[in-house]
Amino acid sequence: MTAAPPHVLILDDDEGIVRLARRALERAGLRVSATTSAIVAREVLDSGDLPQLLILDYQLDTAQTGLDFFRHLRRQQGPAAAIPAILVTGFSDESKIIEALRAGIADVIPKAGEYLDYLPEAVS
């Protein structure tokens, strides 16, 4: 019996980035859930089919940031609170990067240049 591929959840407000990131990660052999909605992301987490990793865009299409989503998840009880996360962002503000790492984000990846080519490597 073959082990199931690792499951990754992407939350990004840009549908184009979501599609491209999904393709890049699926080509790398990962199972991907992807959404532009924090509500749908929460539904995936509540479904019981927990991902092993979250990929969160810092800037979402709401007042909530990806970092806010992560912090809220960490405050919850249950297995979803322990899922590691990578934060992808267009900002280069060092203080925000430090804030994210202090909050427990495993890595911060800049959304620049060949970011989608680097993403599967960062996930592994």
Side-chain angles (χ1 to χ4, degrees):
M1 187 159 108
T2 306
H7 182 198
V8 176
L9 171 61
I10 301 170
L11 173 58
D12 192 310
D13 65 338
D14 184 319
E15 288 186 36
I17 295 288
V18 166
R19 279 193 305 276
L20 292 171
R22 174 193 289 271
R23 261 189 260 153
L25 295 174
E26 286 175 342
R27 276 194 308 264
L30 301 167
R31 186 166 58 97
V32 179
S33 298
T35 183
T36 58
S37 163
I39 293 168
V40 172
R42 188 69 225 189
E43 289 170 357
V44 169
L45 293 169
D46 291 342
S47 74
D49 182 19
L50 290 177
Q52 283 81 34
L53 179 69
L54 304 173
I55 299 174
L56 306 170
D57 184 19
Y58 182 84
Q59 189 64 48
L60 298 175
D61 211 10
T62 64
Q64 182 184 41
T65 66
L67 184 56
D68 294 335
F69 181 88
F70 178 77
R71 285 183 173 140
H72 179 73
L73 187 62
R74 288 287 189 201
R75 288 191 298 267
Q76 303 300 304
Q77 298 295 320
I83 300 171
I86 294 174
L87 190 68
V88 294
T89 182
F91 69 73
S92 59
D93 181 344
E94 193 172 301
S95 66
K96 286 186 179 183
I97 293 170
I98 291 169
E99 176 186 6
L101 294 173
R102 285 185 176 157
I105 293 288
D107 197 2
V108 178
I109 301 174
K111 260 188 177 177
E114 303 299 316
Y115 139 74
L116 290 170
D117 293 334
Y118 174 71
L119 188 59
E121 183 181 330
V123 167
S124 67

